[in-house]
Amino acid sequence: MAKLLQIVGFRVGKENFGVPIGIVHEIVRMMEITVVPDSPTYIEGVINLRGKIIPVLDLRKRFSEKIIPNRRNRIMVAELDGHQVGLVVDAANEVLKISPELIEPPPNIFEQGDLNYVTGVGKLGGKLVILIDLAKIMQGGELRRISDFAETADATPPAL
């Protein structure tokens, strides 16, 4: 019997997504986000999480979903390329366990262009969970640029 994959399940719009549990540090309630000038539209800004400045991107905007603020919205803090990044999602679920046999490779349509972040589709109790590679959601230099901004903001003494 193959080892079950553990993924953190979350919802954006009506769809269920999942990422490997190993990259998720924590899931926190929405908090005040400081806007970063001249950033891509889906980059919300940065948060101060226990003294650490973390860039935040809104997966709802990235996936072109309507933004409906509610108390279930969460910031999922994940590690991408050695940097922590907050991801705004509509809701974050429990840890899901999926047998590798129940994961299909992504349909060919996902291999082209902007959809290459889909790594598979898991079948879980009659629902489909789209498995994604968070690092591929960010285009090359964006994550580095936002992380550099967060590090600069972290090093800047507060204004009086």
Side-chain angles (χ1 to χ4, degrees):
M1 163 110 181
K3 192 171 190 279
L4 293 177
L5 293 175
Q6 292 191 28
I7 60 170
V8 175
F10 61 93
R11 207 178 71 247
V12 175
K14 292 182 171 67
E15 301 307 322
N16 294 300
F17 294 91
V19 294
I21 192 171
I23 67 167
V24 178
H25 283 265
E26 62 186 302
I27 296 167
V28 297
R29 292 184 184 275
M30 288 299 292
M31 60 178 63
E32 188 175 330
I33 299 174
T34 304
V35 175
V36 178
D38 298 327
S39 59
T41 55
Y42 56 88
I43 301 290
E44 288 296 298
V46 293
I47 57 172
N48 181 345
L49 188 62
R50 290 185 296 285
K52 184 165 175 52
I53 303 298
I54 298 175
V56 176
L57 80 94
D58 194 328
L59 283 183
R60 301 168 302 179
K61 287 182 181 176
R62 185 68 172 101
F63 294 161
S64 302
E65 287 289 335
K66 280 200 223 72
I67 295 175
I68 303 166
N70 80 38
R71 55 188 193 84
R72 295 188 59 188
N73 295 156
R74 295 288 184 264
I75 298 174
M76 185 171 63
V77 180
E79 182 146 334
L80 304 179
D81 295 335
H83 299 281
Q84 284 190 5
V85 177
L87 304 152
V88 179
V89 298
D90 285 327
N93 309 358
E94 70 284 357
V95 173
L96 306 171
K97 294 181 175 147
I98 300 181
S99 170
E101 297 93 56
L102 297 178
I103 297 174
E104 302 274 328
N108 290 342
I109 191 169
F110 292 123
E111 291 174 11
Q112 288 98 25
D114 288 347
L115 295 174
N116 67 349
Y117 56 78
V118 176
T119 61
V121 180
K123 300 175 205 158
L124 189 68
K127 291 191 305 193
L128 294 180
V129 178
I130 300 168
L131 304 177
I132 60 175
D133 180 343
L134 289 175
K136 286 185 179 173
I137 287 176
M138 301 290 287
Q139 276 93 25
E142 288 175 354
L143 180 60
R144 203 169 310 109
R145 195 171 94 211
I146 295 299
S147 295
D148 289 348
F149 175 85
E151 286 164 16
T152 303
D154 208 10
T156 306
L160 297 177

